[in-house]
């Protein structure tokens, strides 16, 4: 016990010395954010190829925008792509102009958005705790900076954030805009110095509210109406709960804010509607917004408890502490929050933020794991504030009897990590078959990564149990973070390379061959599957035909029609080519990579066998007679 206290006192003295040197505080904070940002989002970001199907759709639409100079209408494979607004395509196209057309440029906007919101959250949590210390007339730099560092680390290092922060789609950019707008709103709301008399004599809202409006406009340009609906729900619910709606709206200058949002977001929508008319309105606003909320789109249905599982696994291993984090706030005791200073309401704001996003997408009929990504920053803040009670300088840190729910969450943490360990040991048996990578399960098992992964989480479970028994509360969150980092570096990243080699590399190699051998006006047909990476890497348009029977009919129609090219290139899996039953003399085998085969079908050779068959059948028919 004495040794534990001496360690805490040493750490506390060290932070006190650092806090006296602001430049050193800024330097160390920046280094910490750079470290977790690089581990989570920079390291090997562009070393793995694009993953089918969604990522190359964005990448190719942005490449078309970059190549053609049409920054209004997105195109993929020769047709308009109205799924998402233009901001993600603009960001990727700008990245292409700087880094070239490659995987780094595709994913850089997502990585920057993730690191930006993590950095802003670090600042917000530290600012909130500094105001709390000022109100209590105490100096607790250790608690302040450790809590901010944990908030940033937990936000950066969880499966949901890492998956979408390392993928070149619009989800992380949307989350960056929405989460940052909400953090800016809270900073503007809580900073009394600027939200008081100074703003009352100004026509403009304070700088944080201005930033909030700009970021909401960015969210609208990233994914449409949801970019203003989600922040609006959270802010409105928060202010209504506190009974401060009218007061804060006067401070925010909502009419000015609405003009800013419209001025930044509406011009592109006006231009794209002008260029494409009702096609865009029906596709984007109708199908991709209203229909996704009110009915199942693309088969993405799920039960009502779907997002409970998404949060449990997507925010692992810290998700087991969310119930204790909510209970700590006692958000149901409204009278307690009404007397709090604005700067002390961050926990309540994060709680309403989490519940608002969670509830909105639970009601929506179409469900996808990425939809609840905007609540992950709120979850990280809630967990970090929970742990702030157990860092040196807090009132609970030296207590031998923490909250019962915290104690139960700790043991739930042990059970969760133990279960995760067993699942990873057996992952090769649990994984389903993938036709695009038929040998992946065996390759993964032979690599020894499953044993390493299971061992990491088993060691993590044992460490958390030991720390619980010895009542070393701060070490528990550190054990979870270190376990996740070790798992990411030692297991997940090598597994991603294995999957890339098995599943995506054959398509990249075939795409390179297509770019070399494809003749002018020769059509490229993909039969039996849809892999947009081929469009991106080959820079060629592809005709996707789902069924082999349809492909056979398509070939017959081509034979009977005047064609611009004497041949056609087909990309298919080996089994689908067998189903098509093409005579070997009618096609030339161009390449075979992984599960895929690339052939060139000659229309002249396909026409010729009809005459040959008649000559062959004639003597047979005579013999039969």
């Amino acid at each position: 016990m004495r040794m534990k206290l001496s360690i805490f006192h040493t750490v506390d003295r060290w932070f006190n010395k650092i806090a006296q040197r602001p430049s050193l505080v800024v330097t160390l904070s920046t280094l910490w954010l750079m470290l977790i940002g690089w581990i989570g989002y920079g390291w090997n970001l562009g070393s793995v190829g694009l993953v089918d199907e969604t990522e190359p759709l964005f990448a190719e639409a942005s490449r078309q925008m970059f190549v053609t100079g049409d920054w209004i209408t997105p195109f993929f494979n020769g047709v308009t792509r109205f799924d998402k607004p233009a901001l993600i395509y603009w960001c990727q196209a700008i990245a292409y102009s700087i880094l070239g057309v490659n995987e780094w440029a595709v994913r850089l906007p997502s990585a920057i958005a993730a690191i930006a919101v993590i950095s802003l959250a670090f600042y917000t949590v530290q600012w909130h705790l500094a105001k709390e210390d000022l109100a209590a007339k105490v100096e607790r730099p250790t608690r302040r900076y450790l809590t901010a560092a944990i908030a940033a680390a937990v936000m950066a290092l969880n499966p949901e954030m890492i998956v979408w922060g390392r993928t070149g789609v619009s989800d992380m950019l949307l989350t960056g805009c929405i989460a940052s707008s909400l953090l800016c709103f809270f900073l503007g709301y809580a900073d009394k110095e600027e939200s008081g008399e100074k703003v009352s004599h100004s026509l403009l809202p304070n700088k944080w509210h201005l930033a909030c409006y700009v970021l909401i406009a960015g969210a609208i340009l990233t994914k449409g109406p949801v970019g203003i609906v989600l922040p609006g729900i959270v802010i409105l619910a928060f202010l209504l709960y506190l009974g401060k709606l009218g007061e804060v709206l006067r401070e925010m200058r909502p009419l000015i804010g609405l003009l800013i949002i419209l001025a930044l977001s509406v011009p592109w929508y006006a231009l794209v509607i002008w260029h494409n008319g009702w096609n865009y309105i029906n596709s984007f606003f109708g199908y991709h917004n209203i229909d996704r909320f009110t009915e199942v789109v693309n088969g993405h249905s799920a039960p009502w408890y779907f997002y409970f599982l998404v949060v449990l696994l997507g925010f692992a291993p810290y998700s087991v502490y969310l119930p204790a984090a909510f209970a700590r706030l006692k958000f149901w005791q409204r009278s307690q929050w009404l007397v709090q200073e604005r700067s002390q309401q961050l926990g309540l704001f994060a709680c309403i933020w989490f519940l608002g996003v969670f509830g909105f997408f639970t009601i929506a009929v179409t469900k996808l794991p990425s939809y609840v990504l905007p609540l992950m920053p709120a979850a990280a803040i809630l967990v970090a504030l929970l742990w702030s009670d157990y860092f040196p300088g807090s009132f609970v840190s030296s207590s031998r009897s923490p909250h019962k729910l915290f104690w139960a969450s700790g043991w739930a943490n042990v059970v969760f990590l133990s279960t995760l360990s067993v699942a990873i040991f057996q992952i090769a048996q649990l994984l389903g078959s993938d036709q695009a990578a038929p040998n992946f399960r065996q390759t993964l098992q032979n690599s020894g990564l499953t044993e390493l992964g299971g061992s990491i989480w088993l060691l993590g479970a044992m460490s958390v149990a030991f720390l619980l028994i010895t009542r070393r509360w701060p070490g528990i969150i550190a054990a979870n973070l270190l376990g996740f980092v070790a798992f990411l570096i030692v297991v997940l990243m090598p597994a991603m390379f294995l999957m890339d080699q098995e599943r995506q590399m054959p398509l990249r190699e075939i795409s390179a061959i297509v770019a070399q051998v494809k003749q002018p006006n020769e059509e490229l047909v993909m039969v039996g599957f849809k892999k947009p990476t081929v469009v991106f890497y080959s820079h060629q348009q592809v005709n996707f035909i789902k069924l082999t029977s349809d492909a056979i009919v398509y070939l017959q129609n081509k034979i009977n029609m005047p064609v611009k090219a004497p041949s056609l290139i087909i990309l298919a899996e080996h089994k689908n080519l067998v189903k098509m039953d093409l005579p070997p003399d009618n096609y030339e085998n161009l390449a075979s990579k992984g599960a895929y085969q690339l052939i060139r079908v000659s229309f002249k050779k396909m026409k010729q066998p009809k005459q040959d068959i008649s000559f062959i059948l004639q003597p047979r028919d005579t013999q039969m007679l």
Side-chain angles (χ1 to χ4, degrees):
M1 185 65 166
R2 289 181 179 177
M3 180 179 177
K4 183 168 66 171
L5 289 175
S6 66
I7 293 173
F8 283 166
H9 287 314
T10 302
V11 172
D12 202 25
R13 286 197 301 271
W14 187 65
F15 272 97
N16 280 322
K17 289 180 180 179
I18 292 175
Q20 295 171 6
R21 301 174 62 184
S23 60
L24 185 58
V25 169
V26 173
T27 301
L28 291 177
S29 299
T30 303
L31 289 174
W32 174 250
L33 293 171
M34 289 174 63
L35 175 64
I36 60 176
W38 178 253
I39 291 173
Y41 307 98
W43 179 49
N44 284 325
L45 179 66
S47 301
V48 177
L50 301 186
V51 180
D52 284 304
E53 291 184 359
T54 308
E55 191 176 32
L57 295 174
F58 283 88
E60 175 62 14
S62 302
R63 191 188 72 84
Q64 286 295 318
M65 196 170 278
F66 173 64
V67 171
T68 64
D70 182 355
W71 294 75
I72 304 300
T73 304
F75 285 88
F76 172 80
N77 202 33
V79 297
T80 53
R81 173 173 164 79
F82 294 147
D83 298 44
K84 301 295 181 288
L87 186 58
I88 182 62
Y89 305 126
W90 292 344
C91 292
Q92 289 179 337
I94 291 169
Y96 289 157
S97 67
I98 299 171
L99 302 175
V101 180
N102 54 50
E103 293 86 351
W104 267 97
V106 172
R107 293 165 179 156
L108 189 61
S110 295
I112 290 174
I115 294 171
V117 72
I118 290 162
S119 302
L120 184 57
F122 176 93
Y123 172 82
T124 304
V125 171
Q126 188 279 142
W127 182 88
H128 157 74
L129 294 175
K131 292 291 185 180
E132 184 179 297
D133 289 352
L134 184 63
K137 298 181 180 179
V138 294
E139 276 293 329
R140 294 177 290 184
T142 305
R143 175 176 178 264
R144 189 163 75 243
Y145 287 108
L146 276 180
T147 303
I150 291 299
V154 168
M155 195 179 298
L157 302 171
N158 65 75
E160 185 90 351
M161 287 286 287
I162 283 182
V163 166
W164 300 110
R166 300 179 70 94
T167 305
V169 296
S170 61
D171 296 272
M172 184 51 75
L173 185 59
L174 175 72
T175 295
C177 290
I178 288 179
S180 297
S181 71
L182 290 171
L183 290 171
C184 286
F185 161 78
F186 179 80
L187 289 167
Y189 161 82
D191 193 348
K192 281 189 173 182
E193 182 182 358
E194 291 192 337
S195 63
E197 295 181 0
K198 289 187 177 181
V199 176
S200 64
H201 299 294
S202 171
L203 292 175
L204 296 175
N206 66 39
K207 62 182 180 182
W208 292 112
H209 288 150
L210 281 173
C212 173
Y213 294 136
V214 172
L215 288 162
I216 287 175
I220 294 171
L221 281 171
T222 301
K223 221 164 186 178
V226 73
I228 192 171
V229 170
L230 280 184
I233 288 173
V234 173
I235 293 170
L236 188 64
F238 176 69
L239 296 178
L240 285 173
Y241 184 80
L242 293 173
K244 295 184 177 181
L245 181 61
E247 175 187 345
V248 176
L249 285 181
R250 284 191 295 272
E251 298 168 1
M252 291 182 68
R253 306 289 192 267
L255 291 179
I256 299 294
L258 186 61
L259 288 175
I260 293 171
I261 292 171
L262 293 175
L264 292 175
S265 61
V266 166
W268 176 80
Y269 283 98
L271 288 171
V272 76
I273 291 172
W274 181 38
H275 285 195
N276 300 279
W278 282 101
N279 288 335
Y280 180 80
I281 295 172
N282 292 331
S283 177
F284 179 70
F285 292 104
Y287 181 76
H288 289 290
N289 282 271
I290 297 173
D291 288 355
R292 283 180 181 270
F293 191 82
T294 59
E295 59 188 74
V296 177
V297 171
N298 294 334
H300 296 308
S301 62
W304 63 268
Y305 55 82
F306 175 70
Y307 289 124
F308 287 94
L309 299 177
V310 171
V311 172
L312 176 65
L313 300 176
F315 192 57
Y318 328 104
S319 50
V320 292
Y321 292 99
L322 283 172
F326 282 112
R328 168 190 176 271
L329 295 172
K330 298 180 181 178
F331 60 88
W332 56 89
Q333 296 182 359
R334 183 169 179 264
S335 58
Q336 168 191 312
W337 289 101
L338 291 177
V339 298
Q340 292 272 5
E341 293 288 336
R342 287 189 180 188
S343 60
Q344 301 314 300
Q345 294 169 346
L346 178 61
L348 177 65
F349 182 68
C351 174
I352 293 175
W353 173 354
F354 182 100
L355 295 176
V357 176
F358 189 92
F360 179 83
F361 287 113
T362 298
I363 294 171
V365 179
T366 299
K367 290 179 169 60
L368 285 171
S370 62
Y371 284 0
V372 291
L373 184 62
L375 65 74
M376 293 298 163
I381 291 171
L382 289 168
V383 169
L385 292 178
L386 170 68
W387 283 100
S388 70
D389 292 341
Y390 301 93
F391 289 139
S394 67
F395 298 110
V396 188
S397 61
S398 59
S399 171
R400 297 185 62 84
S401 301
H403 195 281
K404 290 181 180 179
L405 192 53
F406 175 85
W407 181 264
S409 298
W411 286 108
N413 193 182
V414 174
V415 173
F416 181 81
L417 295 183
S418 301
T419 305
L420 189 59
S421 173
V422 172
I424 292 172
F425 276 124
Q426 302 298 321
I427 194 68
Q429 286 72 38
L430 296 174
L431 283 176
S433 60
D434 187 350
Q435 295 177 354
N439 301 320
F440 177 69
R441 283 197 298 180
Q442 190 61 44
T443 303
L444 183 64
Q445 196 165 10
N446 295 340
S447 69
L449 292 176
T450 55
E451 288 80 4
L452 275 173
S455 300
I456 287 171
W457 289 121
L458 181 60
L459 180 61
M462 294 169 62
S463 300
V464 172
F466 172 77
L467 293 165
L468 280 168
I469 293 170
T470 57
R471 300 178 182 276
R472 301 172 188 269
W473 318 125
I476 296 174
I477 191 66
N480 281 278
L481 281 167
L482 289 174
F484 187 87
V485 170
F487 186 71
L488 175 65
I489 293 173
V490 177
V491 180
L492 278 184
M493 195 59 67
M496 285 174 60
F497 281 110
L498 287 179
M499 175 60 86
D500 181 63
Q501 291 173 2
E502 290 280 336
R503 193 175 189 272
Q504 297 297 143
M505 186 177 288
L507 288 170
R508 294 199 299 275
E509 292 173 343
I510 282 183
S511 299
I513 294 171
V514 167
Q516 294 175 355
V517 304
K518 185 174 178 296
Q519 299 171 358
N521 299 323
E522 191 173 37
E523 187 179 8
L524 174 60
V525 178
M526 190 179 291
V527 178
F529 62 97
K530 185 176 182 179
K531 301 293 183 183
T533 46
V534 176
V535 181
F536 176 78
Y537 286 110
S538 69
H539 297 177
Q540 303 293 332
Q541 291 187 18
V542 178
N543 184 1
F544 297 102
I545 300 178
K546 186 176 182 180
L547 302 177
T548 54
S549 57
D550 292 341
I552 294 170
V553 172
Y554 184 78
L555 280 177
Q556 292 298 328
N557 291 336
K558 279 285 187 180
I559 292 171
N560 299 324
M561 291 172 58
V563 292
K564 296 180 180 178
S567 59
L568 173 147
I569 295 178
I570 293 179
L571 173 59
E573 294 175 347
H574 302 302
K575 64 175 185 178
N576 286 329
L577 281 179
V578 172
K579 289 180 182 179
M580 291 179 69
D581 196 25
L582 294 171
D585 293 339
N586 287 359
Y587 66 86
E588 173 190 0
N589 187 25
L590 299 176
S592 181
K593 302 289 182 181
Y596 308 105
Q597 190 168 348
L598 186 70
I599 65 171
R600 171 178 282 127
V601 176
S602 171
F603 295 129
K604 291 181 180 179
K605 290 182 179 180
M606 289 189 73
K607 289 179 179 179
Q608 187 64 34
K610 292 183 178 180
Q611 298 177 355
D612 295 341
I613 290 173
S614 64
F615 286 121
I616 293 170
L617 286 177
Q618 194 171 9
R620 285 184 182 177
D621 292 342
T622 305
Q623 191 175 16
M624 288 176 66
L625 292 170

